[in-house]
Amino acid sequence: MLQMMKMSSVVHFEMPAKDKKRVSEFYTKVFGWQMQLMDEKMGNYLLANTTPTDHKTMRPAEPGAINGGFFDFEDNELNRAPHVVISVANLDQSIKAVQDAGGEILGEKMDIPNVGMYVSIKDTEGNLVGMLQSSER
């Protein structure tokens, strides 16, 4: 008998940017997104708030909505293409599941302060995807 597994949802998107000021102005003018450049400690990451955020949890207030961000474009596999981030309950178990299913883990797990543990993967089709085990808030 097939056991039903809890689905993991997409919780974030990321896209590369060559010019943070230019991309910030574009998405603000075209879509009304609120953009916030993080400090150097966070890698000069540009947050993209696409939907109202609950200030207590720092997550989208509307169920199913996601926010995103822009990272520095680099001409390498990890940093030149958009990707989504999927929430997982247990990152170590999900890493094993990716490997068992024929996917590849790219790099090491990293702690994102006040957010959770993150790792990049490549699926069986070559798509780049992030996995995030949220910090308890």
Side-chain angles (χ1 to χ4, degrees), residues 65-115:
I66 65 172
N67 287 312
F70 293 83
F71 53 85
D72 289 331
F73 173 90
E74 293 178 21
D75 196 15
N76 63 50
E77 185 177 43
L78 278 178
N79 295 320
R80 69 172 171 237
H83 68 272
V84 297
V85 179
I86 299 171
S87 176
V88 297
N90 183 301
L91 190 59
D92 291 328
Q93 289 177 359
S94 296
I95 286 170
K96 182 173 180 347
V98 165
Q99 293 167 326
D100 290 349
E104 182 182 345
I105 305 304
L106 303 173
E108 300 293 320
K109 293 186 298 187
M110 69 160 105
D111 181 31
I112 303 172
N114 300 317
V115 175

Side-chain angles (χ1 to χ4, degrees), residues 7-13 60 64-67 83-87 129-130:
M7 281 194 259
S8 297
S9 59
V10 173
V11 294
H12 191 75
F13 68 86
I66 65 172
N67 287 312
H83 68 272
V84 297
V85 179
I86 299 171
S87 176
V129 178

